[in-house]
mmCIF file of all heavy atoms in Angstrom:
data_model
loop_
_atom_site.group_PDB
_atom_site.id
_atom_site.type_symbol
_atom_site.label_atom_id
_atom_site.label_comp_id
_atom_site.label_asym_id
_atom_site.label_seq_id
_atom_site.Cartn_x
_atom_site.Cartn_y
_atom_site.Cartn_z
ATOM 1 N N SER A 17 -105.347 -72.118 67.693
ATOM 2 C CA SER A 17 -104.723 -70.857 67.264
ATOM 3 C C SER A 17 -103.779 -70.391 68.348
ATOM 4 O O SER A 17 -104.001 -70.656 69.538
ATOM 5 C CB SER A 17 -105.777 -69.762 67.049
ATOM 6 O OG SER A 17 -106.666 -70.135 66.036
ATOM 7 N N TYR A 18 -102.722 -69.717 67.937
ATOM 8 C CA TYR A 18 -101.876 -68.995 68.891
ATOM 9 C C TYR A 18 -102.168 -67.514 68.670
ATOM 10 O O TYR A 18 -101.817 -66.970 67.623
ATOM 11 C CB TYR A 18 -100.400 -69.311 68.661
ATOM 12 C CG TYR A 18 -100.042 -70.750 68.977
ATOM 13 C CD1 TYR A 18 -99.765 -71.659 67.966
ATOM 14 C CD2 TYR A 18 -100.004 -71.197 70.293
ATOM 15 C CE1 TYR A 18 -99.439 -72.975 68.254
ATOM 16 C CE2 TYR A 18 -99.687 -72.512 70.591
ATOM 17 C CZ TYR A 18 -99.403 -73.395 69.573
ATOM 18 O OH TYR A 18 -99.091 -74.702 69.868
ATOM 19 N N GLY A 19 -102.858 -66.888 69.619
ATOM 20 C CA GLY A 19 -103.322 -65.528 69.403
ATOM 21 C C GLY A 19 -104.275 -65.524 68.216
ATOM 22 O O GLY A 19 -105.207 -66.338 68.160
ATOM 23 N N THR A 21 -103.378 -66.257 65.200
ATOM 24 C CA THR A 21 -102.827 -67.083 64.125
ATOM 25 C C THR A 21 -103.324 -68.524 64.226
ATOM 26 O O THR A 21 -102.958 -69.249 65.165
ATOM 27 C CB THR A 21 -101.281 -67.101 64.189
ATOM 28 O OG1 THR A 21 -100.828 -65.757 64.256
ATOM 29 C CG2 THR A 21 -100.690 -67.805 62.977
ATOM 30 N N PRO A 22 -104.172 -68.952 63.270
ATOM 31 C CA PRO A 22 -104.605 -70.355 63.307
ATOM 32 C C PRO A 22 -103.470 -71.284 62.890
ATOM 33 O O PRO A 22 -102.755 -70.999 61.933
ATOM 34 C CB PRO A 22 -105.746 -70.400 62.286
ATOM 35 C CG PRO A 22 -105.621 -69.182 61.457
ATOM 36 C CD PRO A 22 -104.741 -68.199 62.157
ATOM 37 N N VAL A 23 -103.299 -72.364 63.633
ATOM 38 C CA VAL A 23 -102.251 -73.347 63.309
ATOM 39 C C VAL A 23 -102.895 -74.658 62.865
ATOM 40 O O VAL A 23 -102.515 -75.229 61.850
ATOM 41 C CB VAL A 23 -101.306 -73.568 64.510
ATOM 42 C CG1 VAL A 23 -100.333 -74.699 64.235
ATOM 43 C CG2 VAL A 23 -100.546 -72.289 64.815
ATOM 44 N N LEU A 24 -103.870 -75.140 63.614
ATOM 45 C CA LEU A 24 -104.612 -76.330 63.209
ATOM 46 C C LEU A 24 -106.039 -75.911 62.865
ATOM 47 O O LEU A 24 -106.712 -75.261 63.669
ATOM 48 C CB LEU A 24 -104.635 -77.375 64.337
ATOM 49 C CG LEU A 24 -103.290 -77.850 64.866
ATOM 50 C CD1 LEU A 24 -103.490 -78.960 65.902
ATOM 51 C CD2 LEU A 24 -102.372 -78.321 63.750
ATOM 52 N N THR A 40 -95.915 -86.023 58.842
ATOM 53 C CA THR A 40 -94.778 -85.255 58.329
ATOM 54 C C THR A 40 -95.265 -83.861 57.928
ATOM 55 O O THR A 40 -96.469 -83.613 57.868
ATOM 56 C CB THR A 40 -94.150 -85.936 57.105
ATOM 57 O OG1 THR A 40 -95.127 -86.002 56.065
ATOM 58 C CG2 THR A 40 -93.665 -87.336 57.427
ATOM 59 N N GLY A 41 -94.323 -82.993 57.609
ATOM 60 C CA GLY A 41 -94.686 -81.649 57.163
ATOM 61 C C GLY A 41 -93.623 -80.660 57.569
ATOM 62 O O GLY A 41 -92.831 -80.924 58.482
ATOM 63 N N GLU A 42 -93.649 -79.513 56.900
ATOM 64 C CA GLU A 42 -92.588 -78.525 57.079
ATOM 65 C C GLU A 42 -92.545 -77.978 58.513
ATOM 66 O O GLU A 42 -93.539 -78.090 59.252
ATOM 67 C CB GLU A 42 -92.797 -77.369 56.094
ATOM 68 C CG GLU A 42 -94.083 -76.615 56.365
ATOM 69 C CD GLU A 42 -94.533 -75.762 55.180
ATOM 70 O OE1 GLU A 42 -94.411 -76.224 54.035
ATOM 71 O OE2 GLU A 42 -95.006 -74.645 55.415
ATOM 72 N N ASN A 43 -91.419 -77.387 58.858
ATOM 73 C CA ASN A 43 -91.268 -76.749 60.169
ATOM 74 C C ASN A 43 -92.410 -75.751 60.395
ATOM 75 O O ASN A 43 -92.716 -74.952 59.513
ATOM 76 C CB ASN A 43 -89.945 -75.974 60.261
ATOM 77 C CG ASN A 43 -88.718 -76.874 60.285
ATOM 78 O OD1 ASN A 43 -87.737 -76.614 59.605
ATOM 79 N ND2 ASN A 43 -88.766 -77.935 61.062
ATOM 80 N N GLY A 44 -93.014 -75.826 61.565
ATOM 81 C CA GLY A 44 -94.010 -74.831 61.944
ATOM 82 C C GLY A 44 -95.415 -75.120 61.455
ATOM 83 O O GLY A 44 -96.330 -74.321 61.657
ATOM 84 N N ILE A 45 -95.624 -76.280 60.836
ATOM 85 C CA ILE A 45 -96.957 -76.557 60.281
ATOM 86 C C ILE A 45 -97.955 -77.018 61.350
ATOM 87 O O ILE A 45 -99.164 -77.017 61.132
ATOM 88 C CB ILE A 45 -96.860 -77.583 59.125
ATOM 89 C CG1 ILE A 45 -98.115 -77.512 58.252
ATOM 90 C CG2 ILE A 45 -96.596 -78.983 59.640
ATOM 91 C CD1 ILE A 45 -97.967 -78.187 56.922
ATOM 92 N N GLY A 46 -97.427 -77.437 62.515
ATOM 93 C CA GLY A 46 -98.340 -77.765 63.613
ATOM 94 C C GLY A 46 -98.271 -79.199 64.118
ATOM 95 O O GLY A 46 -99.136 -79.626 64.890
ATOM 96 N N LYS A 47 -97.238 -79.930 63.735
ATOM 97 C CA LYS A 47 -97.139 -81.341 64.153
ATOM 98 C C LYS A 47 -97.041 -81.465 65.678
ATOM 99 O O LYS A 47 -97.746 -82.260 66.296
ATOM 100 C CB LYS A 47 -95.903 -82.000 63.495
ATOM 101 C CG LYS A 47 -95.906 -81.944 61.981
ATOM 102 C CD LYS A 47 -94.672 -82.587 61.382
ATOM 103 C CE LYS A 47 -93.368 -81.927 61.776
ATOM 104 N NZ LYS A 47 -93.230 -80.525 61.334
ATOM 105 N N SER A 48 -96.140 -80.683 66.282
ATOM 106 C CA SER A 48 -95.982 -80.769 67.741
ATOM 107 C C SER A 48 -97.248 -80.309 68.448
ATOM 108 O O SER A 48 -97.628 -80.877 69.482
ATOM 109 C CB SER A 48 -94.800 -79.907 68.213
ATOM 110 O OG SER A 48 -93.613 -80.356 67.634
ATOM 111 N N THR A 49 -97.890 -79.301 67.894
ATOM 112 C CA THR A 49 -99.143 -78.813 68.494
ATOM 113 C C THR A 49 -100.178 -79.934 68.517
ATOM 114 O O THR A 49 -100.841 -80.169 69.544
ATOM 115 C CB THR A 49 -99.661 -77.598 67.699
ATOM 116 O OG1 THR A 49 -98.659 -76.571 67.742
ATOM 117 C CG2 THR A 49 -100.969 -77.079 68.254
ATOM 118 N N LEU A 50 -100.286 -80.659 67.408
ATOM 119 C CA LEU A 50 -101.222 -81.795 67.354
ATOM 120 C C LEU A 50 -100.859 -82.855 68.399
ATOM 121 O O LEU A 50 -101.729 -83.326 69.149
ATOM 122 C CB LEU A 50 -101.191 -82.397 65.940
ATOM 123 C CG LEU A 50 -101.952 -83.709 65.740
ATOM 124 C CD1 LEU A 50 -103.441 -83.531 66.014
ATOM 125 C CD2 LEU A 50 -101.736 -84.234 64.313
ATOM 126 N N LEU A 51 -99.581 -83.202 68.467
ATOM 127 C CA LEU A 51 -99.156 -84.234 69.420
ATOM 128 C C LEU A 51 -99.337 -83.766 70.868
ATOM 129 O O LEU A 51 -99.678 -84.575 71.750
ATOM 130 C CB LEU A 51 -97.691 -84.615 69.157
ATOM 131 C CG LEU A 51 -97.445 -85.833 68.267
ATOM 132 C CD1 LEU A 51 -98.229 -85.780 66.970
ATOM 133 C CD2 LEU A 51 -95.960 -86.020 67.992
ATOM 134 N N ARG A 52 -99.130 -82.490 71.100
ATOM 135 C CA ARG A 52 -99.333 -81.955 72.458
ATOM 136 C C ARG A 52 -100.810 -82.072 72.857
ATOM 137 O O ARG A 52 -101.120 -82.410 73.999
ATOM 138 C CB ARG A 52 -98.880 -80.492 72.542
ATOM 139 C CG ARG A 52 -97.372 -80.304 72.521
ATOM 140 C CD ARG A 52 -97.017 -78.819 72.644
ATOM 141 N NE ARG A 52 -97.458 -78.293 73.928
ATOM 142 C CZ ARG A 52 -96.798 -78.472 75.059
ATOM 143 N NH1 ARG A 52 -95.656 -79.134 75.056
ATOM 144 N NH2 ARG A 52 -97.253 -77.987 76.184
ATOM 145 N N GLN A 58 -101.896 -79.770 75.979
ATOM 146 C CA GLN A 58 -102.387 -78.496 75.461
ATOM 147 C C GLN A 58 -103.863 -78.636 75.163
ATOM 148 O O GLN A 58 -104.293 -79.664 74.628
ATOM 149 C CB GLN A 58 -101.617 -78.151 74.176
ATOM 150 C CG GLN A 58 -102.015 -76.837 73.569
ATOM 151 C CD GLN A 58 -101.055 -76.420 72.462
ATOM 152 O OE1 GLN A 58 -99.935 -76.930 72.370
ATOM 153 N NE2 GLN A 58 -101.466 -75.498 71.636
ATOM 154 N N ASP A 161 -92.366 -87.236 69.423
ATOM 155 C CA ASP A 161 -92.126 -86.069 68.568
ATOM 156 C C ASP A 161 -90.695 -86.141 68.037
ATOM 157 O O ASP A 161 -89.744 -85.917 68.778
ATOM 158 C CB ASP A 161 -92.349 -84.783 69.376
ATOM 159 C CG ASP A 161 -92.545 -83.572 68.472
ATOM 160 O OD1 ASP A 161 -92.493 -83.739 67.233
ATOM 161 O OD2 ASP A 161 -92.735 -82.467 69.005
ATOM 162 N N GLU A 162 -90.575 -86.463 66.768
ATOM 163 C CA GLU A 162 -89.285 -86.539 66.076
ATOM 164 C C GLU A 162 -88.269 -87.396 66.857
ATOM 165 O O GLU A 162 -87.209 -86.904 67.255
ATOM 166 C CB GLU A 162 -88.740 -85.135 65.805
ATOM 167 C CG GLU A 162 -89.702 -84.311 64.956
ATOM 168 C CD GLU A 162 -89.178 -82.935 64.565
ATOM 169 O OE1 GLU A 162 -87.955 -82.741 64.591
ATOM 170 O OE2 GLU A 162 -90.005 -82.079 64.238
ATOM 171 N N ALA A 192 -94.384 -87.685 65.017
ATOM 172 C CA ALA A 192 -94.058 -86.694 63.999
ATOM 173 C C ALA A 192 -92.604 -86.923 63.625
ATOM 174 O O ALA A 192 -91.783 -87.283 64.482
ATOM 175 C CB ALA A 192 -94.246 -85.286 64.552
ATOM 176 N N SER A 193 -92.302 -86.756 62.338
ATOM 177 C CA SER A 193 -90.921 -86.974 61.904
ATOM 178 C C SER A 193 -90.673 -86.207 60.619
ATOM 179 O O SER A 193 -91.598 -85.941 59.854
ATOM 180 C CB SER A 193 -90.669 -88.460 61.684
ATOM 181 O OG SER A 193 -89.379 -88.669 61.164
ATOM 182 N N HIS A 194 -89.394 -85.869 60.393
ATOM 183 C CA HIS A 194 -88.987 -85.303 59.108
ATOM 184 C C HIS A 194 -88.299 -86.362 58.256
ATOM 185 O O HIS A 194 -87.834 -86.057 57.167
ATOM 186 C CB HIS A 194 -88.029 -84.120 59.335
ATOM 187 C CG HIS A 194 -88.698 -82.921 59.916
ATOM 188 N ND1 HIS A 194 -89.548 -82.118 59.194
ATOM 189 C CD2 HIS A 194 -88.664 -82.387 61.157
ATOM 190 C CE1 HIS A 194 -89.996 -81.141 59.959
ATOM 191 N NE2 HIS A 194 -89.483 -81.283 61.168
ATOM 192 N N MET A 209 -99.218 -83.503 57.161
ATOM 193 C CA MET A 209 -100.070 -82.636 57.994
ATOM 194 C C MET A 209 -101.140 -81.970 57.125
ATOM 195 O O MET A 209 -102.292 -81.856 57.553
ATOM 196 C CB MET A 209 -99.158 -81.580 58.643
ATOM 197 C CG MET A 209 -99.745 -80.875 59.808
ATOM 198 S SD MET A 209 -99.995 -81.930 61.235
ATOM 199 C CE MET A 209 -101.414 -81.126 61.933
HETATM 200 N N1 ATP B 301 -96.626 -71.497 72.575
HETATM 201 C C1 ATP B 301 -96.712 -70.923 71.357
HETATM 202 N N2 ATP B 301 -97.026 -69.629 71.231
HETATM 203 C C2 ATP B 301 -97.134 -69.045 70.021
HETATM 204 N N3 ATP B 301 -96.927 -69.690 68.857
HETATM 205 C C3 ATP B 301 -96.587 -70.975 68.929
HETATM 206 C C4 ATP B 301 -96.468 -71.672 70.175
HETATM 207 N N4 ATP B 301 -96.130 -72.954 69.933
HETATM 208 C C5 ATP B 301 -96.038 -73.070 68.591
HETATM 209 N N5 ATP B 301 -96.319 -71.888 67.988
HETATM 210 C C6 ATP B 301 -96.347 -71.637 66.541
HETATM 211 O O1 ATP B 301 -97.265 -72.551 65.967
HETATM 212 C C7 ATP B 301 -96.767 -73.047 64.746
HETATM 213 C C8 ATP B 301 -96.733 -74.569 64.806
HETATM 214 O O2 ATP B 301 -95.701 -74.988 65.720
HETATM 215 P P1 ATP B 301 -95.389 -76.523 65.961
HETATM 216 O O3 ATP B 301 -94.270 -76.584 66.929
HETATM 217 O O4 ATP B 301 -96.649 -77.228 66.290
HETATM 218 O O5 ATP B 301 -94.900 -76.963 64.490
HETATM 219 P P2 ATP B 301 -94.114 -78.263 64.004
HETATM 220 O O6 ATP B 301 -94.782 -78.703 62.746
HETATM 221 O O7 ATP B 301 -94.018 -79.256 65.094
HETATM 222 O O8 ATP B 301 -92.673 -77.678 63.656
HETATM 223 P P3 ATP B 301 -91.206 -78.383 63.640
HETATM 224 O O9 ATP B 301 -91.177 -79.293 62.438
HETATM 225 O O10 ATP B 301 -90.300 -77.201 63.490
HETATM 226 O O11 ATP B 301 -91.028 -79.107 64.949
HETATM 227 C C9 ATP B 301 -95.412 -72.383 64.511
HETATM 228 O O12 ATP B 301 -95.577 -71.292 63.659
HETATM 229 C C10 ATP B 301 -95.015 -71.918 65.891
HETATM 230 O O13 ATP B 301 -94.231 -70.756 65.828
#
Side-chain angles (χ1 to χ4, degrees):
S17 298
Y18 293 107
T21 309
V23 173
L24 303 184
T40 62
E42 64 198 40
N43 291 135
I45 199 165
K47 302 179 298 297
S48 299
T49 300
L50 172 62
L51 265 50
R52 287 181 64 80
Q58 181 169 342
D161 198 359
E162 301 184 21
S193 175
H194 290 287
M209 197 67 211

